Amino acid sequence: SHDLMGTSLNVSDGTWISLSGGIGAGGDSFYEYLMKSYILFGEDEYYDMFHDAYLADKALHPTEKYYPLRPEFVESTYALYHATKDPRYRDMGRVVYESLQKFAKVNTGGYAAVKDVRRKSLEDHQHSFFLAETCKYLYLLFDDSFMSTDNYIFSTEGHPMPVEKCRYASGPGDLITVIDEINF
């Protein structure tokens, strides 16, 4: 066992449909939220679970060299900057932006997935999530005016949704979020 989660469950009986696992696309959100939970709550259990999965993934895929311009790192950088206002997260975003310009931009003006990060070779396509999410989070990282006066949550695809009203329950640790009206 490599301590990795599969990517698909049978909703009726809870058994794994797909035992294939990794920290890349298809199962990445679980591992992303382990790391975010460790950063947010500081509990070692989250880091330990992430670290074990990361080592297992490296053991299974020791030569992974593909970068499809996925948004998760930039999204996390955006969230951490806006939660802490620590300028190092903007510095990280600037490095990502400059790297995309240098290594992923193509002559026609678009961007391409990086086939091999060691050789800097490119694929002949750009995934839709690059514009829909990666670029959006990079932009938002450097824009202090967007959502500065309103309360928003993001969908898993990076779409901002206004939260009109939130209230806390009286019990300790209970958070009840009430979305009275969402204007799409």
Side-chain angles (χ1 to χ4, degrees):
S1 169
H2 288 285
D3 294 326
L4 293 173
M5 305 292 277
T7 56
S8 300
L9 285 172
N10 180 318
V11 295
S12 298
D13 63 16
T15 59
W16 290 108
I17 295 171
S18 171
L19 298 177
S20 156
I23 57 174
D28 57 339
S29 292
F30 175 75
Y31 301 103
E32 173 189 350
Y33 287 113
L34 286 176
M35 182 54 77
K36 285 180 178 177
S37 295
Y38 169 69
I39 292 168
L40 181 64
F41 303 117
E43 294 183 19
D44 290 339
E45 179 182 14
Y46 296 116
Y47 177 80
D48 293 342
M49 290 172 66
F50 173 84
H51 187 256
D52 291 346
Y54 181 81
L55 292 178
D57 186 68
K58 293 301 274 180
L60 289 173
H61 308 287
T63 59
E64 185 64 42
K65 55 191 182 263
Y66 178 63
Y67 175 55
L69 311 180
R70 301 237 357 126
E72 287 78 13
F73 178 75
V74 177
E75 175 189 4
S76 298
T77 304
Y78 159 79
L80 289 167
Y81 173 75
H82 282 281
T84 67
K85 300 301 184 202
D86 187 332
R88 70 182 168 157
Y89 296 113
R90 279 193 166 163
D91 293 340
M92 290 177 196
R94 192 170 290 104
V95 169
V96 169
Y97 173 78
E98 290 169 356
S99 296
L100 289 169
Q101 296 301 309
K102 184 174 181 179
F103 300 115
K105 192 168 186 175
V106 295
N107 293 337
T108 57
Y111 294 82
V114 181
K115 184 176 186 176
D116 186 331
V117 295
R118 295 171 300 175
R119 294 186 179 92
K120 314 295 188 284
S121 58
L122 301 177
E123 294 279 327
D124 190 22
H125 67 275
Q126 172 188 293
H127 295 282
S128 62
F129 55 74
F130 174 69
L131 292 176
E133 297 175 69
T134 307
C135 290
K136 182 187 310 179
Y137 285 115
L138 270 174
Y139 175 81
L140 292 174
L141 176 61
F142 296 98
D143 180 13
D144 288 326
S145 65
F146 184 74
M147 300 188 307
S148 62
T149 59
D150 295 317
N151 190 13
Y152 285 85
I153 58 173
F154 281 99
S155 72
T156 57
E157 296 302 318
H159 304 299
M161 299 182 298
V163 178
E164 299 297 327
K165 181 178 177 184
C166 290
R167 64 182 166 91
Y168 293 88
S170 58
D174 286 339
L175 170 64
I176 300 173
T177 301
V178 179
I179 302 176
D180 290 332
E181 181 181 339
I182 297 179
N183 302 314
F184 291 98

